[in-house]
């Protein structure tokens, strides 16, 4: 019944792919900051939040306000129906939007947290064509508490033309985190499911939310974009884990997903897609003490 929403409005889908080796090192701390970024972060504190959000490799952070739209006839135009999104600590929210009227190549995207005194420049590689779809992934660290933040974003082309600005507000749920957290988000309004097989051989998912190892699923999303979340608040057992995504709805169009795996010291992200009821094995990793080996 939700498939209607999945029918692609746009001709092209261009994804910003994360590599398996991606981590949170793309964040560039502001100079002279003296705030503890490891403590709880309220999304309502725009300047603080803006220092910790996680974007793909290549992002830079700049002081001040993002450049204004050029408002010329050859400026790119962007559009989306997504004005509100749900995410959580330790997850990555996926913002899809369409673009058009691009006479050259797309250079990148400006992103600014509403109310923050700095903004991000996010490059888009290999994006050409007059129109298509882009994705803006925004990673939220595990120490962000519940609340709402909004971001303004636009794109610029390689001729220096800047598009109109779009705004999306993200409702951050405070979900379980701790020693190990696995979070799933996706970009179609469908029922996708996160499965984690833990070292005891137990599969944690919507029909078996708890494992004797202490792992549990605390959110199953039936019709949105996630997140779904499995976590161990205390010590997750050593051994091998497998992370899978199941297209429970059995859709006929691709569901692009983001998996975020967090420990107190590390964060890894994986992307992929499901379709036609696929159950996709996203990755396996071995936990040894505080270390994860992929
Ligand atoms: Ca689900």
């Amino acid at each position: 019944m939700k498939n209607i929403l999945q029918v692609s409005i746009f001709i092209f889908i261009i994804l910003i792919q994360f590599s398996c080796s991606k981590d949170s090192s793309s964040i560039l701390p502001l100079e002279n900051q003296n705030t503890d970024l490891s403590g709880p972060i309220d999304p309502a504190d725009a300047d603080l939040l803006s220092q910790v959000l996680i974007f793909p490799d290549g992002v830079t952070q700049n002081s001040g306000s993002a450049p204004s739209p050029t408002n010329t006839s050859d400026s790119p135009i962007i559009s989306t129906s997504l004005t509100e999104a749900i995410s959580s600590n330790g997850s990555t929210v996926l913002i899809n939007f369409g673009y058009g009227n691009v006479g050259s190549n797309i250079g990148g995207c400006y992103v600014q947290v509403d109310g923050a005194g700095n903004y991000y420049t996010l490059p888009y590689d290999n994006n050409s064509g007059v129109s298509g779809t882009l994705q803006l992934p925004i990673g939220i660290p595990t120490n962000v508490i519940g609340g709402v933040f909004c971001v303004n974003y636009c794109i610029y082309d390689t001729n220096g033309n800047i598009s109109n600005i779009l705004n999306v507000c993200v409702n951050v749920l405070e979900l379980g985190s701790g020693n190990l957290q696995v979070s799933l988000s996706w970009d179609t309004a469908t029922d996708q499911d996160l499965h984690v097989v833990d070292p005891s051989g137990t599969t944690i998912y919507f029909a078996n939310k708890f494992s004797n190892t202490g792992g549990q699923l605390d959110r199953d999303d039936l019709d949105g974009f996630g997140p779904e979340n499995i976590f161990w608040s205390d010590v997750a057992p050593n051994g091998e884990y497998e992370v899978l995504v199941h297209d429970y709805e059995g859709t006929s169009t691709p569901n692009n997903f983001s998996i975020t795996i967090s420990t107190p010291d590390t964060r890894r992200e994986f992307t992929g897609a499901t379709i036609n009821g696929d159950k996709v094995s996203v990755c396996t990793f071995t936990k040894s003490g505080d270390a994860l080996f992929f």
Side-chain angles (χ1 to χ4, degrees), residues 49-240:
L49 181 75
S50 187
Q51 294 180 53
V52 300
L53 292 179
I54 299 164
F55 291 95
D57 289 341
V59 72
T60 58
Q61 199 173 100
N62 317 96
S63 297
S65 297
S68 299
T70 45
N71 288 322
T72 58
S73 61
D74 53 357
S75 298
I77 298 170
I78 58 175
S79 62
T80 186
S81 59
L82 188 66
T83 58
E84 295 181 346
I86 296 175
S87 191
S88 75
N89 56 316
S91 189
T92 299
V93 60
L94 304 174
I95 309 298
N96 282 359
F97 60 97
Y99 68 88
N101 201 43
V102 175
S104 57
N105 289 331
I106 297 171
C109 182
Y110 297 128
V111 186
Q112 186 155 25
V113 176
D114 218 352
N118 58 81
Y119 66 97
Y120 296 91
T121 301
L122 174 63
Y124 282 128
D125 297 328
N126 303 316
N127 288 310
S128 59
V130 174
S131 62
T133 300
L134 289 166
Q135 189 173 80
L136 171 63
I138 304 174
I140 302 171
T142 56
N143 59 323
V144 174
I145 65 174
V148 176
F149 71 92
C150 302
V151 297
N152 299 305
Y153 60 99
C154 60
I155 63 170
Y156 58 91
D157 66 21
T158 51
N159 289 334
N161 296 306
I162 301 171
S163 75
N164 55 305
I165 297 171
L166 297 178
N167 177 270
V168 61
C169 291
V170 180
N171 180 9
V172 181
L173 306 177
E174 193 165 344
L175 298 181
S177 187
N179 188 246
L180 178 63
Q181 180 182 357
V182 182
S183 177
L184 164 68
S185 297
W186 57 94
D187 71 346
T188 57
T190 59
D191 190 355
Q192 305 293 304
D193 287 321
L194 172 64
H195 294 226
V196 174
V197 184
D198 73 13
S200 73
T202 301
T203 301
I204 306 169
Y205 68 118
F206 73 91
N208 185 44
K209 294 183 178 179
F210 299 93
S211 169
N212 289 336
T213 62
Q216 64 174 289
L217 173 80
D218 62 352
R219 188 170 195 264
D220 173 30
D221 186 19
L222 303 178
D223 56 8
F225 304 83
E228 301 210 352
N229 190 63
I230 293 173
F231 71 102
W232 283 256
S233 58
D234 294 325
V235 179
N238 291 335
E240 185 167 284

